Amino acid sequence: MSPVICVSLHLLFFSLFNYQVTCSFSFNTSSHLCHTLESSALLQFKNGLQNSFDTTINPFFYCASYNSYYMYHNVCREELHATKKINSWKKGTDCCMWDGVQCDPSTGHVVPNLLGNLPTEIMNLPHLHALDLGENANLSADFTQSNWSSPLEELHFDSCNFTGRLPHSIGQSNSMRIVDIIGNSFTGFIPQWIWNTTESIALGFNYFTGELPSSVNESMLSNLQVILLHDNMLNGSIPSWLFALPSIVRLALNVNQFTGQISAEILSNSLREIDLSYNNLGSTVDLDMFSKLKNLRLLSLSRNNL
């Protein structure tokens, strides 16, 4: 069974790839500044990376297993560089002194702020299942020309500085459970693979355009609980399947350019929040259809043409 790698960049894991942070200083080596939990998390990350890439074998033999020049000179090169850096990460030593790790001198916490351009080749790591880059406003990337082949299940790009279009396909699109890319500058149509996400879709505060699909594989989305598409430039009518998902709890389509009527039949009793405000929806709304939703806590239809 292939190892599962979960990367969280709230803890500066991407300093492995030559990132810089805004804090530098010297430490008193007589005492450990690093927090035990953060040290343990970094060591777990190291073990996961080494399980994925066996540093005891000849790296050139390993990299030759990649069947293309592109994969060797991008993905494999980054893995080789990373594994060299983590050799200094040893249990019982101060993680603030480890290569590629920097800490706040007053708190001892690993500094979370990342700077620079994200190497999009990270999306090709063969065992990458979860990637969290969230809340790094100084981290930028353009994924328009990238090709994602990692078997991702969770993707957290919230509150970064990412631009361009999402790729039209990813390696194993049916494996995605959570997508959170709120608060970036993504443009273009929402790619079809997004609608295979099984638990949570959060795309708010971007610049997505176009219409939502008129139909999806609803059986695949039986556990989908959250759809947040607010504050984009989406248009067209709101498809009825959004109100029929059996587990949907939050539906936010506000601040877009949707037109037409609200579905006359809302079949999902799990809905707690519906926000359709600030669109161009028209016609008469029968409020009785919302009275059947026993779990509904918030309903916003303001700033439309109702």
Side-chain angles (χ1 to χ4, degrees):
M1 180 176 177
S2 299
V4 175
I5 296 181
C6 300
V7 182
S8 174
L9 296 186
H10 288 291
L11 293 179
L12 196 60
F13 290 160
F14 245 90
S15 60
L16 295 173
F17 299 101
N18 278 336
Y19 279 94
Q20 298 179 346
V21 295
T22 56
C23 184
S24 62
F25 43 84
S26 61
F27 292 103
N28 181 355
T29 56
S30 62
S31 62
H32 288 190
L33 182 66
C34 181
H35 288 256
T36 302
L37 289 178
E38 294 180 5
S39 176
S40 297
L42 288 167
L43 288 172
Q44 288 177 7
F45 173 69
K46 172 186 176 180
N47 292 335
L49 185 60
Q50 288 182 323
N51 287 336
S52 174
F53 177 73
D54 189 350
T55 57
T56 63
I57 65 177
N58 187 322
F60 294 100
F61 175 81
Y62 175 88
C63 292
S65 65
Y66 285 114
N67 59 8
S68 74
Y69 179 91
Y70 173 83
M71 287 290 287
Y72 175 84
H73 282 274
N74 289 284
V75 179
C76 192
R77 181 179 60 189
E78 296 294 350
E79 290 199 18
L80 284 169
H81 178 65
T83 52
K84 288 179 181 178
K85 280 203 166 190
I86 63 176
N87 286 335
S88 68
W89 298 14
K90 299 185 184 299
K91 186 176 181 180
T93 61
D94 190 350
C95 77
C96 294
M97 303 299 295
W98 294 349
D99 192 10
V101 177
Q102 294 191 32
C103 301
D104 186 307
S106 61
T107 66
H109 289 296
V110 176
V111 179
N113 188 33
L114 305 181
L115 303 174
N117 293 314
L118 173 73
T120 57
E121 290 80 16
I122 186 65
M123 309 307 292
N124 296 325
L125 292 175
H127 303 298
L128 186 65
H129 284 250
L131 179 60
D132 187 348
L133 295 163
E135 299 183 19
N136 284 288
N138 294 315
L139 186 63
S140 59
D142 187 333
F143 296 97
T144 302
Q145 302 299 324
S146 64
N147 177 32
W148 297 3
S149 58
S150 298
L152 282 170
E153 297 177 10
E154 295 187 28
L155 182 64
H156 301 269
F157 284 175
D158 52 298
S159 303
C160 292
N161 189 28
F162 296 159
T163 60
R165 296 170 179 257
L166 291 177
H168 289 294
S169 62
I170 59 176
Q172 298 181 23
S173 59
N174 291 340
S175 66
M176 193 70 77
R177 297 187 300 107
I178 299 171
V179 175
D180 183 356
I181 59 174
I182 284 179
N184 285 278
S185 297
F186 287 114
T187 59
F189 298 147
I190 298 174
Q192 185 60 40
W193 61 264
I194 288 288
W195 307 113
N196 294 330
T197 305
T198 58
E199 293 182 17
S200 178
I201 299 172
L203 313 183
F205 291 111
N206 281 284
Y207 298 98
F208 289 113
T209 57
E211 299 184 6
L212 302 183
S214 58
S215 62
V216 294
N217 185 350
E218 294 183 31
S219 62
M220 178 178 288
L221 305 182
S222 60
N223 294 318
L224 184 60
Q225 298 184 17
V226 176
I227 298 179
L228 307 179
L229 307 181
H230 57 87
D231 294 273
N232 279 284
M233 296 186 291
L234 301 168
N235 55 37
S237 59
I238 297 177
S240 58
W241 61 265
L242 285 171
F243 300 99
L245 299 173
S247 301
I248 192 69
V249 174
R250 297 181 62 195
L251 179 60
L253 307 180
N254 48 302
V255 195
N256 279 286
Q257 300 168 15
F258 290 115
T259 58
Q261 301 181 0
I262 300 174
S263 176
E265 190 172 12
I266 299 180
L267 301 177
S268 179
N269 287 320
S270 59
L271 275 165
R272 296 180 185 174
E273 299 180 14
I274 302 175
D275 193 343
L276 307 180
S277 61
Y278 289 87
N279 280 287
N280 296 313
L281 300 172
S283 76
T284 303
V285 176
D286 182 4
L287 293 179
D288 285 342
M289 63 183 178
F290 296 106
S291 64
K292 302 175 184 178
L293 305 178
K294 303 303 182 184
N295 294 309
L296 191 63
R297 298 293 182 270
L298 181 147
L299 173 63
S300 181
L301 306 176
S302 62
R303 300 290 181 168
N304 280 286
N305 298 316
L306 303 174

